[in-house]
Amino acid sequence: MRILVTGGAGFIGAHVVECLTEAGHEVRVLDLALVESVDAVQGDVRDPAVVERALVGMDAVCHQAAKVGLGLDLNDAPDYVGCNDLGTAVLLAAMARAGIGCLVLASSMVVYGEGLGHCAEHGEVVPGPRPVEALMAGCFEPPCPTCGQAVTPGRICEEAAPDPRNVYAATKLAQEHLAGAWARATGGVATALRYHNVYGPRMPLDTPYAGVAAIFRSMLRAGLPPRVYEDGGQRRDFVHVRDVATANLAALDRSGHGLRAYNVATGVPHTVGEMATALSEAHAGPPPITTAEYRLGDVRHITASAARMETELGWQAKIEFAHGMAEFAEI
């Protein structure tokens, strides 16, 4: 198969390119950065002429190009919407004109908002945004939206209603909606991979848009303890980038029509504090400290069931947390 990987010079995209190439596919990269080792088109996914040139001869697209991270404030909103949503719209329009009917979209677990919880009185619930007053008082656990009592965190499935809590999350959900509209209009197959917390080699460093694992590693390399927001009890599903790449490979074989979403996760939750401790120990650095600081756009717990991905696409994450973090600490 001949596959265009947008954002193929980036953190996840470069691993996807390697995985697809190793599997015997012909790969072309579309990226703002210059890529010399593979067939590549340098340019912006928002430029229709560039995208049309990149799509010539392609059978499918793995769309990884995006502006990622929570962002600094609402001043980032135009960049996020332009890069993520306008870029996706330009790509999908060009795919329709070119008659290319297979799309794998890099989505994100942020579309869910707060993860699933279990209330002793009301059963499964999705907590609403945490009140600022509670966060300021150091009360970080989200309450049941009905009775206000504490809830037990659970693993969210793809059927859960989306509830984006920040601009980045809103753009990722909009990408899914655009892909769904494209699939309905063209009869194409759109597979949205909702990545959970991705880490691993080539992860961007020393930027406010970097992932938390990369930020902690940078602190350790500077001889500083990782500074963990809240109390470190935030639950996440940390999935290695090489596993994310194989998920893209599996998604290309999906049959059927329309848009379908899949969690790309290990199914095994860990806290941010556990992750910081694992990196500190592997790096032989100072232990992490919790700061009680918080960001309004953050959610407390978001962990996933990966059952749909395993059942329908035959994919499972292979790299265990301890091994992956030890490797990441030394890269």
Side-chain angles (χ1 to χ4, degrees):
M1 189 181 295
R2 296 163 298 179
I3 304 163
L4 176 67
V5 180
T6 69
F11 165 44
I12 296 175
H15 286 276
V16 172
V17 168
E18 289 179 359
C19 179
L20 298 181
T21 302
E22 290 169 1
H25 295 293
E26 297 180 29
V27 179
R28 178 180 295 155
V29 168
L30 169 58
D31 201 289
L32 284 169
L34 178 62
V35 183
E36 297 181 345
S37 59
V38 297
D39 178 16
V41 174
Q42 184 178 14
D44 196 320
V45 74
R46 292 169 290 186
D47 185 330
V50 169
V51 174
E52 287 188 2
R53 179 157 50 92
L55 287 173
V56 172
M58 296 294 102
D59 302 309
V61 176
C62 284
H63 183 32
Q64 311 294 319
K67 187 177 179 69
V68 300
L70 182 61
L72 298 178
D73 53 41
L74 280 176
N75 289 321
D76 284 332
D79 282 342
Y80 275 101
V81 173
C83 291
N84 298 353
D85 298 339
L86 176 59
T88 298
V90 170
L91 173 67
L92 293 172
M95 288 177 66
R97 290 192 296 270
I100 299 170
C102 179
L103 172 73
V104 178
L105 171 69
S107 187
S108 172
M109 54 87 173
V110 296
V111 302
Y112 294 120
E114 191 71 53
L116 186 70
H118 182 83
C119 173
E121 182 176 351
H122 297 100
E124 288 190 351
V125 297
V126 176
R130 296 176 290 172
V132 174
E133 297 78 12
L135 294 170
M136 292 178 65
C139 300
F140 301 119
E141 292 296 334
C144 171
T146 302
C147 67
Q149 299 301 308
V151 298
T152 302
R155 299 177 191 174
I156 204 157
C157 296
E158 292 86 350
E159 292 86 354
D163 184 18
R165 301 286 177 87
N166 54 63
V167 170
Y168 171 62
T171 66
K172 298 309 287 185
L173 183 59
Q175 283 185 301
E176 290 194 15
H177 289 321
L178 289 166
W182 166 83
R184 286 189 296 273
T186 64
V189 179
T191 305
L193 299 181
R194 292 174 176 170
Y195 302 158
H196 283 248
N197 284 70
V198 186
Y199 72 99
R202 304 175 201 152
M203 195 172 189
L205 301 176
D206 302 320
T207 162
Y209 304 99
V212 65
I215 293 171
F216 289 167
R217 191 179 68 170
S218 293
M219 291 177 178
L220 288 164
R221 285 183 171 179
L224 302 173
R227 293 176 56 83
V228 182
Y229 280 12
E230 302 185 15
D231 60 0
Q234 309 94 305
R235 289 160 58 96
R236 298 290 188 269
D237 192 311
F238 297 98
V239 58
H240 198 279
V241 68
R242 289 198 294 269
D243 283 328
V244 172
T246 62
N248 278 264
L249 178 64
L252 287 165
D253 289 332
R254 184 173 83 85
S255 58
H257 300 285
L259 173 71
R260 190 151 177 82
Y262 295 86
N263 287 325
V264 176
T266 68
V268 181
H270 292 276
T271 68
V272 174
E274 289 172 344
M275 185 267 289
T277 297
L279 288 177
S280 292
E281 292 177 350
H283 201 275
I289 58 174
T290 55
T291 68
E293 295 174 85
Y294 61 87
R295 298 189 301 181
L296 287 178
D298 282 342
V299 296
R300 177 66 174 176
H301 305 298
I302 177 66
T303 60
S305 166
R308 177 184 289 183
M309 191 77 182
E310 180 179 359
T311 300
E312 297 186 9
L313 299 182
W315 176 90
Q316 280 184 305
K318 303 295 185 185
I319 301 174
E320 295 182 353
F321 176 81
H323 174 77
M325 286 296 169
E327 175 200 56
F328 181 61
E330 298 302 322
I331 295 172

